[in-house]
Amino acid sequence: MKENILIFGGNSFLAKAFNEKYKDVYAIQNVYRNDQSQQLNFDFESDDTERITAELKDNYKAVLFFQGLTPSVGAKDISAEHFLRMLKINLVTPALLIKGLAGKLSPGALVLFISSVAKKKGSFDPAYGSAKAGLTGLMHSLANAYPQLRFNIVSLGLVENSPVFNNMTEGFRQKHAGRMFNNEFIKAEDVVNVVAELVNNQSINRTDIEVDGGYN
Ligand SMILES: NC(=O)c1ccc[n+]([C@@H]2O[C@H](COP(=O)([O-])OP(=O)(O)OC[C@H]3O[C@@H](n4cnc5c(N)ncnc54)[C@H](OP(=O)(O)O)[C@@H]3O)[C@@H](O)[C@H]2O)c1
């Protein structure tokens, strides 16, 4: 029987890449923000974590958090509303979901957060950079509280053909490429291969794997 994997942000570019490659290997349950054609919907801005955790199955081998907000508000325009929204979607709601889901995860299950090169280089959107850097503290804190689970982060450079990539000017793209190996963007397939390794590799815990072409 196929093992269960739970994905939040089911319509994200990277979740779709993971689904495409591993749909025959795992029983993947996707949760969407608000897609009425789908069975499971949950908005990370809501406070309804108990409702969605009750709807989910159990015995998950992994929970993959692919939800996210694109950087959009520069330092000079920052508002409390935007900052809090970014923190809620990246940090607060994932923490509450793990509280509700911990009993539904198999021993050794992977909880995966996706961070960004912005955690070390900064972002034009301080809320985004802060939220992505905050994932490190969240990972270690949850790992202390749930020692039967494995918590890991994958931190990404600019992923080719993703929405954030498509919305960038060519000049900005080249700025990213110029600081990564071979002047190349990150390939979605390389990201999902690392995620799949983390799902299975029981020796990897509390790491932050940088899939960013050595961005410097
Ligand atoms: N792509 C990159 O270059 C890159 C680089 C570094 C880090 N990352 C991180 O990697 C992750 C996936 O990236 P991606 O490019 O695949 O993302 P994406 O295609 O932009 O998708 C983001 C997803 O988050 C969902 N979402 C947004 N707000 C939500 C909310 N309030 N509740 C529930 N879901 C919500 C969106 O739902 P809808 O479909 O309903 O809009 C969308 O499916 C994100 O955390 C991103 O920050 C990406």
Side-chain angles (χ1 to χ4, degrees), residues 6-144:
L6 178 61
I7 289 184
F8 289 100
N11 267 333
S12 66
F13 181 73
L14 289 171
K16 284 181 182 162
F18 187 90
N19 273 277
E20 187 52 37
K21 184 150 187 194
Y22 294 103
K23 62 179 183 298
D24 296 330
V25 179
Y26 297 111
I28 303 176
Q29 229 186 346
N30 290 284
V31 183
Y32 302 85
R33 169 166 48 177
N34 186 16
D35 183 338
Q36 293 317 312
S37 68
Q38 301 291 343
Q39 203 187 346
L40 291 169
N41 285 282
F42 172 68
D43 188 330
F44 276 55
E45 290 187 70
S46 78
D47 294 316
D48 209 6
T49 52
E50 283 181 20
R51 190 264 307 160
I52 187 68
T53 51
E55 279 181 39
L56 296 170
K57 332 183 194 186
D58 53 15
N59 277 327
Y60 291 106
K61 185 180 174 67
V63 182
L64 313 178
F65 286 101
F66 283 118
Q67 85 297 342
L69 275 187
T70 303
S72 62
V73 181
K76 293 183 180 157
D77 297 313
I78 201 78
S79 67
E81 187 191 8
H82 173 70
F83 217 117
L84 291 169
R85 185 171 178 231
M86 188 69 84
L87 296 180
K88 184 151 190 182
I89 290 170
N90 279 280
L91 299 172
V92 179
T93 300
L96 292 171
L97 284 170
I98 293 304
K99 182 170 87 167
L101 276 172
K104 296 189 172 198
L105 307 183
S106 311
L110 168 72
V111 177
L112 183 73
F113 302 118
I114 309 288
S115 183
S116 159
V117 70
K119 75 178 183 205
K120 61 181 181 186
K121 77 169 184 68
S123 167
F124 100 93
D125 182 336
Y128 181 82
S130 305
K132 292 306 191 188
L135 284 169
T136 308
L138 180 64
M139 170 181 79
H140 287 294
S141 305
L142 295 179
N144 291 340

